[in-house]
Amino acid sequence: MTDALELDALWEDFHRVVNMTSQELATWLRVSDAGETAEPLPDRAGNPTGQHVLAILQKRRTDLTDDDIQVMYDVVDTVSERADLENEPEPEQTRHRHELMTIGHDPLKP
């Protein structure tokens, strides 16, 4: 388990990079996973990481599991590595934006 200071820093970093609310993320996961003829049940929409991020957003810091902490590290690292989309051509910007949105980060959101 992570020590208290490290967990505090991770909690802050995670909530800084995950700039979508739980409601916005849940809606995006449902929309992005919907097909022409069917869509998954709301609690199963989106990829597993997106669902895990959604679950973390609904928890208190004291309720985090080791799996939650690992996902938080992964999300912070992913967003930090991929957040700069300004230099990408428009189709690439859209694809990258949508990929980041599946883990709760909308690069166009202030």
Side-chain angles (χ1 to χ4, degrees):
M1 187 79 169
T2 309
D3 70 28
L5 289 175
E6 191 175 343
L7 184 58
D8 287 346
L10 176 61
W11 181 263
E12 294 298 320
D13 287 344
F14 178 79
H15 283 86
R16 178 182 44 81
V17 300
V18 176
N19 62 358
M20 296 170 71
T21 65
S22 57
Q23 185 177 10
E24 290 169 331
L25 178 56
T27 299
W28 172 252
L29 293 174
R30 284 192 305 273
V31 168
S32 68
D33 218 18
E36 276 188 39
T37 58
E39 61 184 78
L41 296 172
D43 63 336
R44 294 188 187 151
N47 65 30
T49 303
Q51 284 295 321
H52 204 141
V53 169
L54 185 59
I56 292 168
L57 289 174
Q58 298 168 345
K59 288 185 176 189
R60 296 175 303 173
R61 185 181 345 207
T62 57
D63 296 332
L64 296 174
T65 66
D66 288 341
D67 286 341
D68 295 338
I69 291 168
Q70 185 58 53
V71 167
M72 291 169 71
Y73 276 118
D74 292 345
V75 167
V76 169
D77 289 345
T78 299
V79 172
S80 298
E81 291 170 2
R82 302 184 60 201
D84 181 25
L85 302 178
E86 292 179 16
N87 298 330
E88 298 286 338
E90 183 61 34
E92 288 296 307
Q93 285 180 357
T94 300
R95 184 177 61 82
H96 283 125
R97 177 180 182 228
H98 290 175
E99 288 173 1
L100 288 169
M101 287 174 69
T102 64
I103 58 172
H105 179 77
D106 184 351
L108 299 182
K109 191 174 181 181

